[in-house]
Amino acid sequence: MFTDKKNILQLVVLLRAHGVKKIVLCPGSRNIPIVQTLANIPDFTCYQVTDERSAGFFALGLALHGGSPAAVCCTSGTALVNIHPAVAEAFYQQIPLVVISADRPGAWIGQMDGQTLPQPGIFGKLVKCSVNLPEIHTDEDEWYCNRLINEALLELNHHGKGPVHINVPVSEPFFLLPVNELPEVRVINRYQGLNVYDKDYQPLIERLNKYQRRMVIVGQMNLIYLFDKKYTKLLYKHFAWLTENISNRTIPGMPIKNIEPLLCSMNFEEQQKMRPELLITYGGHIISKRLKKFLRRHPPVEHWHISADGEIADLYGSLTTVIEMDPFEFLEKIAPMMEYRTPEYPRIWENKSKAIPKAVFPYSEMEAIGKVIEHLPTPSSLHLGNSSAVRYAQFFEIPNDTEILCNRGTSGIEGSLSTAIGYSTVSNKLNFILIGDLSFFYDMNALWNSNYGSNIRILMLNNSGGEIFHALPGLELHENARRFVTAPHAASARAWAEDRGFEYMAAHNEEELENAAVRFTEPNITERPMLLEVFTDKDNDVELLKAYYRSLKQ
């Protein structure tokens, strides 16, 4: 009755769920499994039109009547090109039109196989969204396919209406109909511009209140937001709040920040017991790999992501709802609507977090970062380089009045120093930069300008190469490949720093680090910028880090 092609099954179920019920079907061979499946579902009203040029405009007329979206489905090759004029009209009239094109497997495009041409992205800027579905072989393929279809169909009515294109590669054999029941698939919903009078708002609150195991995770946010006190208590007690240093102060209360050691201390069964039923997220990127792994292995029943742009961000593979509004406005709106009873779930997380011993390291990169953070004057700005620096800073408690910045948009090592220097140039605070050796030397031209002032303090961690690569679990580097992966070197920043007018300090042991850290963080020394270079042994750094994590599992 239905095809066994999983990408097509996902597509037809989601078309129905997103309200696409009128579908124009064009003849062909490659789209046979799509056509036969759609025709066997009574919820769809199907129309047969042979000429794709006419079919596109026929579907346009269906969508114009009543404003609900319509779809047109064609086979591969030039059949799709013939729908182009209707797509252009739909774009400029803002008509919700779904173009579904069957396609040959990607390996055969451009290989003289019949009815093939590059179909993904063929409509360019004339569609609001264009997706190329994978053929599904793994669970990750299935998640990816589901996400792409939801993304495309949600764009039909997002910030104005318009056409979208869904390209469906289909491999042989594809004439069989061995499936008798449509699968249950995830439907992602989007709410826009909610207010307390919206008819869709109350069901959200009812769903919120039915869950007892609620968690909020806040990603990177480059601001400090102070919640009104009347909301703080109402919100804080209802959720387990997890954040990282790069989130800054953007939650109503004291969050759980020692996420990596906390999750490391739990085995699989313990993590399963701590799984949230409802996950709410806002903000940008997350550093913790263990947090991502935890929620992907133990997914919540629902995941709501709140963002002003309303874009799909399915980091944990369980997104069900996108709420398009300012996250702080949303939280303050829901605060008085939540049931008064206090769930036990947040307290369990807090107690487990408090039971984790604070990280204490002997002389190492980790200790150098901890020493500087311990002595940070306030207010100040703290810039974290990517790779090891941003991760190790997570072990330590940073003063609330310290603004934290890091290039986590793409998490590359290039430009960390330049960004921090640019920021410091227009800042009236002391700006501390914690950065690794490869990041520093890669971007050392950041100091080759005359724009910066004396409010810069750079902690450069020099262990003669890319230490973090040695800490990757499961990675064994052959000796002949090690230098290409870890970029070992024997360079020092001293000459460059002194040439650029920096006060230079170096530390090679515990005593030198302690003395240098005091001067490095002294707020009243402002004659010149400073650079503190801390030399450590990468193998020792890695072993200390591994020993710390081993101790948490005992």
Side-chain angles (χ1 to χ4, degrees):
M1 190 174 181
F2 307 123
T3 180
D4 59 353
K5 305 297 182 185
K6 291 183 178 180
N7 55 0
I8 296 174
L9 292 174
Q10 287 264 352
L11 173 61
V12 298
V13 174
L14 287 170
L15 285 169
R16 183 174 62 182
H18 285 280
V20 183
K21 302 292 179 66
K22 297 172 289 187
I23 304 179
V24 180
L25 302 176
C26 301
S29 59
R30 190 59 52 164
N31 63 334
I32 283 175
I34 307 175
V35 168
Q36 289 200 116
T37 300
L38 288 168
N40 285 330
I41 300 173
D43 295 313
F44 295 117
T45 302
C46 296
Y47 305 84
Q48 182 268 320
V49 179
T50 301
D51 187 327
E52 286 86 6
R53 293 170 298 174
S54 178
F57 284 104
F58 186 94
L60 209 66
L62 295 176
L64 276 169
H65 188 270
S68 59
V72 56
C73 175
C74 70
T75 193
S76 64
T78 54
L80 177 61
V81 180
N82 284 313
I83 299 176
H84 212 144
V87 169
E89 185 65 24
F91 182 79
Y92 286 109
Q93 268 204 68
Q94 296 191 352
I95 299 170
L97 176 69
V98 184
V99 178
I100 302 165
S101 55
D103 199 359
R104 307 294 171 114
W108 292 103
I109 307 303
Q111 299 305 305
M112 298 187 184
D113 200 22
Q115 290 184 283
T116 59
L117 52 81
Q119 293 182 192
I122 197 167
F123 298 118
K125 294 181 180 179
L126 292 177
V127 288
K128 297 187 68 187
C129 183
S130 177
V131 296
N132 185 46
L133 304 188
E135 294 191 81
I136 296 174
H137 304 291
T138 67
D139 288 345
E140 187 171 273
D141 291 340
E142 191 156 5
W143 161 78
Y144 182 44
C145 181
N146 175 275
R147 196 199 82 204
L148 288 175
I149 300 167
N150 272 293
E151 271 185 39
L153 296 178
L154 283 170
E155 281 304 306
L156 287 167
N157 297 288
H158 187 220
H159 297 306
K161 298 180 179 183
V164 300
H165 176 209
I166 299 174
N167 193 60
V168 189
V170 180
S171 293
E172 296 183 12
F174 53 78
F175 297 143
L176 304 176
L177 298 175
V179 176
N180 294 319
E181 291 186 10
L182 293 171
E184 289 189 12
V185 305
R186 176 185 59 158
V187 180
I188 301 175
N189 295 301
R190 180 189 280 122
Y191 295 88
Q192 295 174 246
L194 286 174
N195 62 64
V196 293
Y197 304 108
D198 284 338
K199 63 180 180 180
D200 292 327
Y201 196 82
Q202 195 56 40
L204 271 180
I205 299 300
E206 290 172 2
R207 281 156 55 193
L208 183 69
N209 281 325
K210 83 174 183 179
Y211 295 119
Q212 293 300 298
R213 301 160 64 83
R214 298 180 290 237
M215 176 182 287
V216 177
I217 296 175
V218 186
Q220 181 175 22
M221 300 196 83
N222 294 331
L223 79 163
I224 292 176
Y225 184 88
L226 299 178
F227 282 84
D228 190 305
K229 288 183 179 179
K230 68 181 179 182
Y231 300 121
T232 299
K233 189 174 181 181
L234 288 171
L235 286 168
Y236 184 72
K237 66 181 181 178
H238 286 290
F239 300 92
W241 296 84
L242 276 63
T243 72
E244 296 172 316
N245 288 329
I246 59 172
S247 306
N248 284 289
R249 290 172 60 195
T250 49
I251 76 147
M254 294 296 292
I256 292 168
K257 286 191 174 182
N258 56 345
I259 298 170
E260 282 278 305
L262 176 56
L263 290 173
C264 180
S265 71
M266 301 181 201
N267 59 31
F268 182 90
E269 290 74 20
E270 290 171 319
Q271 288 191 5
Q272 178 63 20
K273 291 177 182 177
M274 297 302 292
R275 164 184 175 259
E277 295 172 305
L278 173 64
L279 172 66
I280 296 178
T281 57
Y282 60 93
H285 289 248
I286 293 291
I287 301 166
S288 172
K289 289 186 176 180
R290 282 187 172 87
L291 180 58
K292 297 171 191 175
K293 186 177 180 181
F294 163 60
L295 288 165
R296 290 170 186 172
R297 294 173 73 185
H298 311 283
V301 178
E302 290 197 56
H303 172 196
W304 301 358
H305 183 64
I306 314 166
S307 66
D309 60 16
E311 294 299 316
I312 305 297
D314 193 16
L315 178 61
Y316 308 108
S318 55
L319 185 68
T320 55
T321 303
V322 177
I323 299 170
E324 185 172 323
M325 65 187 299
D326 178 87
F328 307 113
E329 181 186 356
F330 175 79
L331 290 170
E332 290 176 354
K333 277 184 176 179
I334 68 169
M337 298 181 180
M338 299 188 69
E339 293 181 355
Y340 185 74
R341 67 180 187 275
T342 304
E344 195 65 25
Y345 184 68
R347 294 180 189 171
I348 298 173
W349 272 101
E350 287 177 14
N351 290 338
K352 285 184 175 291
S353 173
K354 290 174 182 176
I356 300 297
K358 289 189 175 181
V360 178
F361 298 98
Y363 184 73
S364 59
E365 283 194 336
M366 293 77 76
E367 190 199 29
I369 288 173
K371 287 284 185 191
V372 169
I373 289 176
E374 178 187 351
H375 291 92
L376 275 179
T378 56
S380 61
S381 296
L382 179 64
H383 303 263
L384 301 173
N386 273 311
S387 206
S388 297
V390 68
R391 288 177 169 83
Y392 296 163
Q394 196 60 32
F395 288 129
F396 307 101
E397 190 172 333
I398 297 175
N400 280 336
D401 291 336
T402 303
E403 182 184 24
I404 303 161
L405 303 104
C406 180
N407 283 356
R408 291 303 292 180
T410 54
S411 306
I413 67 168
E414 71 284 348
S416 292
L417 187 58
S418 289
T419 302
I421 295 293
Y423 186 94
S424 71
T425 302
V426 290
S427 170
N428 58 6
K429 301 177 188 176
L430 277 177
N431 282 254
F432 292 86
I433 304 168
L434 279 52
I435 193 167
D437 47 2
L438 295 190
S439 285
F440 178 88
F441 289 124
Y442 193 100
D443 195 21
M444 61 193 295
N445 280 347
L447 306 185
W448 186 30
N449 71 71
S450 57
N451 296 313
Y452 57 83
S454 60
N455 62 336
I456 301 168
R457 311 279 173 92
I458 301 173
L459 170 68
M460 201 271 264
L461 305 161
N462 192 340
N463 59 11
S464 304
E467 169 267 322
I468 197 169
F469 300 113
H470 294 263
L472 294 174
L475 175 63
E476 293 185 11
L477 291 172
H478 294 287
E479 201 55 45
N480 62 347
R482 184 178 299 274
R483 65 190 178 96
F484 299 109
V485 175
T486 65
H489 65 85
S492 166
R494 179 169 188 161
W496 184 235
E498 290 180 342
D499 183 74
R500 300 307 302 143
F502 278 70
E503 178 183 336
Y504 176 83
M505 293 173 282
H508 302 81
N509 54 51
E510 185 94 38
E511 183 180 356
E512 291 179 358
L513 175 61
E514 182 68 44
N515 293 334
V518 172
R519 180 171 178 81
F520 183 74
T521 54
E522 170 56 54
N524 296 320
I525 304 174
T526 56
E527 293 83 10
R528 290 192 293 163
M530 297 183 183
L531 189 146
L532 168 57
E533 187 168 16
V534 177
F535 294 89
T536 64
D537 178 83
K538 69 168 65 72
D539 293 329
N540 183 59
D541 290 340
V542 170
E543 285 309 310
L544 288 173
L545 193 63
K546 289 180 177 178
Y548 171 66
Y549 280 121
R550 283 196 299 268
S551 71
L552 296 170
K553 297 178 180 180
Q554 295 173 356

